[in-house]
Amino acid sequence: MRRFFVAGNWKMNKTIAEAKALIGALSPELATIDNVDHAVAPSYLALPAVAGLCKGTGIKVGAQNLHWETAGAYTGEVAPPMVAELCDFVIVGHSERRKFFGETDESVNQRLKAALAVGLDVIVCIGETLEENEAGQTEAVVTRQLEVGLAEISETQAAAITIAYEPVWAIGTGRAATPEDANNVHKNVIRPFLREQFGEARAELMRIQYGGSVTPDNAAELFAMSDIDGGLIGGASLKPESFIAIVKAASMVAIVQQESQS
Ligand code: PGA
């Protein structure tokens, strides 16, 4: 059985002081939940403080992006060894990076390889836009993003990878995909691709998160689906009570699934 992985993507929110306060509110509650992997991804500036506070709490810490070069003349960028000093994982290919900063499937692949090379776990984000969805291109788009994004990755390296399926039209809109529609993409497009690329055994173990307007109200329904293995949470990760409620929803679903299997 796959273990749920719920990660909060704070995006460009929270000063260092605010980030510390949020971790202060999250950590006592999250410490009581040990059957779900949970994580936060603050801004680079808040990372040192957050990483310090999360040490020993079970909360994993990630960065929201990284460059692929090890060092050099790339003003404003952050290199993989720098991220690896502080973080357990990094997010690559978020749709906001693709939309506002010109990130491509090829650069996602470069970032992924560079992150894996320094021992980071990686959340690789994929997902179609509204126009692509309405034109019936979801499967083609997601498959292309996976083919190029995960090119030249071995089965062993895949152990460090989580896929986040985030339909762009669902991000920050309050309009989440239905559990059935999201699971259809996870189960019938992404998982078969992973099987093909990495083999049956590895594909069964890899987590596929859903992201896009996950809230305490819809989390349990989404996580109850066969191939939704957690969530990448934006807006609802900025308030302690809603992020805690979402992690608790995953924990409850995990308990129910465990009982039904035994
Ligand atoms: P949202 O963002 O939960 O605010 O929709 C999700 C994401 O972009 O990862």
Side-chain angles (χ1 to χ4, degrees), residues 117-163:
V118 294
L120 287 161
D121 287 348
V122 186
I123 297 177
V124 179
C125 302
I126 56 172
E128 82 286 358
T129 63
L130 184 60
E131 299 85 81
E132 290 163 342
N133 182 283
E134 286 174 346
Q137 294 168 349
T138 299
E139 177 165 355
V141 169
V142 165
T143 302
R144 185 206 72 223
Q145 290 172 329
L146 288 168
E147 262 167 13
V148 182
L150 301 185
E152 295 163 13
I153 298 297
S154 70
E155 183 269 336
T156 319
Q157 288 176 307
I161 298 175
T162 295
I163 305 296

Side-chain angles (χ1 to χ4, degrees), residues 12-28:
M12 198 175 72
N13 294 291
K14 305 291 174 190
T15 61
I16 297 171
E18 289 165 349
K20 284 170 151 172
L22 180 49
I23 291 298
L26 288 176
S27 55

Side-chain angles (χ1 to χ4, degrees), residues 104-203:
T104 61
D105 296 328
E106 287 76 14
S107 70
V108 170
N109 182 247
Q110 285 177 290
R111 290 173 211 272
L112 169 63
K113 288 179 188 160
L116 293 171
V118 294
L120 287 161
D121 287 348
V122 186
I123 297 177
V124 179
C125 302
I126 56 172
E128 82 286 358
T129 63
L130 184 60
E131 299 85 81
E132 290 163 342
N133 182 283
E134 286 174 346
Q137 294 168 349
T138 299
E139 177 165 355
V141 169
V142 165
T143 302
R144 185 206 72 223
Q145 290 172 329
L146 288 168
E147 262 167 13
V148 182
L150 301 185
E152 295 163 13
I153 298 297
S154 70
E155 183 269 336
T156 319
Q157 288 176 307
I161 298 175
T162 295
I163 305 296
Y165 170 59
E166 301 202 296
V168 179
W169 47 269
I171 296 177
T173 58
R175 191 184 144 204
T178 65
E180 292 73 22
D181 284 349
N183 197 51
N184 180 40
V185 177
H186 287 221
K187 185 173 194 250
N188 299 321
V189 181
I190 303 173
R191 188 87 57 203
F193 177 91
L194 298 176
R195 248 180 234 131
E196 180 87 2
Q197 177 108 344
F198 302 121
E200 181 81 33
R202 176 61 62 205

